[in-house]
């Protein structure tokens, strides 16, 4: 292949790979020139964003594991399961949230907020879920930020979870509390389910006052609708449980929780047998 070497300006026989190497040299020279400092800055920001996304993904995955662990708790193994969940949450903070904090400390958090927001929301959901199941109270934003403060260097500005991400994580908490309440009702712990109902109603009422002040945040508006559905589901299951008890629904045969879950999920469809599936349709 005869071509002009753009680096030397001479005509010579070149292989295709040589032409590609010349293009790489030209691009590298352009990137390292003093006039392209802004390009190098943007590339550095993109690399940081990729690392932040990876750390946020790890936070999300491990926070979900904590939530699943808490859902395994019942009146017989509550202390053991919650202790294991709290240890997993502490490990998530030390191993994965610390990576996120180190990447974001000393920078403008809002520039990369979309890269780590979902991970922080999931972390808030897991932390508040553990606190409610342990003490029956709400974990505040200041308490969470005080937990993250030791992870940052003293010379840099520490990462602070902003109020928006905290409220979005709190909205997701109501969905997990709805699942917890339905599970407790199925196990006969109605008083605990009533406590969850009052707690979720309080959260929804307070966020209803704040949502109009959040500049029409589309994500918060969508979660408010989901939160209302969670409140209604808890109330409907409690009403169903009360109606079944009033009409002698609890027979003591061990199937009361199964019937209650069936009532909440709707009627079950009967599976067709293999003979019915293979049977030809009759022409009318």
């Amino acid at each position: 292949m005869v071509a002009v070497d753009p680096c030397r300006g001479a005509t010579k026989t070149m292989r295709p790979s040589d032409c590609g190497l010349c293009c790489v040299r030209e691009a590298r020279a352009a990137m390292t020139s003093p006039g392209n400092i802004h390009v190098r800055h943007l590339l550095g920001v993109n690399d940081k964003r990729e690392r932040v996304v990876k750390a946020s993904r790890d936070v999300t995955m491990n926070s979900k594991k904590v939530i699943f662990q808490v859902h395994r708790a019942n009146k017989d193994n509550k202390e053991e399961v919650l202790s294991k969940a709290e240890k997993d949450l502490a490990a998530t903070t030390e191993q994965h949230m610390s990576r996120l904090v180190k990447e974001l400390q000393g920078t403008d958090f809002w520039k990369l907020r979309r890269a780590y927001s979902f991970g922080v929301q999931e972390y808030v959901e897991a932390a508040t879920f553990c606190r409610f199941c342990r003490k029956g109270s709400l974990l505040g934003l200041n308490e969470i930020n005080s937990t993250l403060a030791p992870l940052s260097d003293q010379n840099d500005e520490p990462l602070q979870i902003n109020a928006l991400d905290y409220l979005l994580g709190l909205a997701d908490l109501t969905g997990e509390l709805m699942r917890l309440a339905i599970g407790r009702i199925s196990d006969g712990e109605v008083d605990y389910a009533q406590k969850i109902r009052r707690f979720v109603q309080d959260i929804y009422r307070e966020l209803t006052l704040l949502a109009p002040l959040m500049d029409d945040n589309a994500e918060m508006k969508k979660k408010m609708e989901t939160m209302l559905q969670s409140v209604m589901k808890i109330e409907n299951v409690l009403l169903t449980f009360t109606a079944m008890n009033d009409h002698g629904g609890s027979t003591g045969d061990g199937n009361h929780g199964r019937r209650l879950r069936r009532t909440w999920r709707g009627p079950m469809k009967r599976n067709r047998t293999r003979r019915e599936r293979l049977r030809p349709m009759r022409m009318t």
Side-chain angles (χ1 to χ4, degrees):
M1 174 181 179
V2 179
V4 178
D5 188 351
C7 299
R8 297 185 176 87
T11 303
K12 67 175 186 177
T13 303
M14 298 179 60
R15 294 174 298 179
S17 58
D18 295 337
C19 184
L21 291 175
C22 291
C23 295
V24 171
R25 294 193 194 101
E26 287 183 349
R28 184 178 302 171
M31 293 298 300
T32 55
S33 62
N36 285 328
I37 186 173
H38 301 293
V39 177
R40 295 199 300 274
H41 172 72
L42 290 177
L43 289 178
V45 171
N46 288 333
D47 292 340
K48 178 182 284 292
R49 180 179 289 107
E50 292 296 328
R51 295 194 299 269
V52 169
V53 169
K54 178 63 170 59
S56 176
R57 190 182 300 118
D58 293 338
V59 171
T60 301
M61 180 180 63
N62 287 275
S63 298
K64 286 184 180 295
K65 291 181 180 179
V66 173
I67 294 173
F68 296 154
Q69 179 74 15
V70 174
H71 274 297
R72 294 179 53 234
N74 54 47
K75 57 185 177 181
D76 297 327
N77 62 356
K78 180 178 179 180
E79 184 64 30
E80 178 184 357
V81 172
L82 289 183
S83 299
K84 177 66 167 57
E86 290 171 348
K87 290 180 181 179
D88 292 343
L89 181 64
T92 301
T93 304
E94 296 175 0
Q95 298 177 11
H96 304 288
M97 281 298 293
S98 60
R99 289 171 46 206
L100 190 61
V101 168
K102 291 178 181 178
E103 289 292 343
L104 294 173
Q105 65 184 6
T107 62
D108 190 357
F109 307 144
W110 288 97
K111 290 182 180 179
L112 298 174
R113 178 184 172 273
R114 294 181 64 88
Y116 69 86
S117 176
F118 293 108
V120 169
Q121 294 176 31
E122 198 71 30
Y123 178 78
V124 169
E125 181 181 357
T128 52
F129 194 36
C130 283
R131 169 61 67 87
F132 176 81
C133 292
R134 171 64 74 180
K135 299 182 178 181
S137 59
L138 180 64
L139 181 65
L141 177 59
N142 293 333
E143 295 181 76
I144 297 179
N145 284 331
S146 63
T147 304
L148 300 179
L151 303 178
S152 303
D153 295 335
Q154 297 180 355
N155 298 328
D156 295 328
E157 182 181 0
L159 171 66
Q160 297 289 308
I161 296 178
N162 56 76
L164 178 58
D165 287 336
Y166 174 76
L167 293 177
L168 292 173
L170 198 60
D172 291 335
L173 170 66
T174 58
E176 300 302 332
L177 290 175
M178 179 268 295
R179 298 179 183 90
L180 181 64
I182 293 174
R184 298 287 75 79
I185 295 171
S186 301
D187 294 338
E189 301 179 45
V190 184
D191 293 337
Y192 190 62
Q194 292 283 6
K195 179 181 178 180
I196 296 174
R197 175 187 60 82
R198 291 190 294 268
F199 186 75
V200 174
Q201 287 176 339
D202 291 341
I203 294 177
Y204 179 75
R205 181 173 58 253
E206 297 297 331
L207 290 183
T208 302
L209 301 176
L210 290 176
L213 305 177
M214 299 178 66
D215 300 329
D216 294 332
N217 187 278
E219 190 175 2
M220 189 65 190
K221 185 180 299 183
K222 181 179 179 181
K223 291 193 176 185
M224 288 297 296
E225 297 175 357
T226 305
M227 196 185 315
L228 178 59
Q229 295 175 4
S230 298
V231 174
M232 295 177 63
K233 285 180 180 178
I234 298 175
E235 294 175 347
N236 290 337
V237 174
L238 283 171
L239 288 174
T240 302
F241 180 86
T242 304
M244 292 176 66
N245 280 343
D246 292 342
H247 292 81
S250 180
T251 59
D253 57 357
N255 296 322
H256 179 61
R258 186 182 306 171
R259 289 197 299 271
L260 181 60
R261 287 190 291 267
R262 178 175 176 178
T263 303
W264 172 62
R265 293 173 181 171
M268 296 182 179
K269 294 183 178 180
R270 185 176 65 89
N271 295 328
R272 299 171 61 192
T273 63
R274 184 172 181 273
R275 178 176 299 179
E276 290 175 338
R277 290 195 301 268
L278 297 178
R279 182 183 301 166
M281 296 180 59
R282 294 183 179 180
M283 301 297 294
T284 58

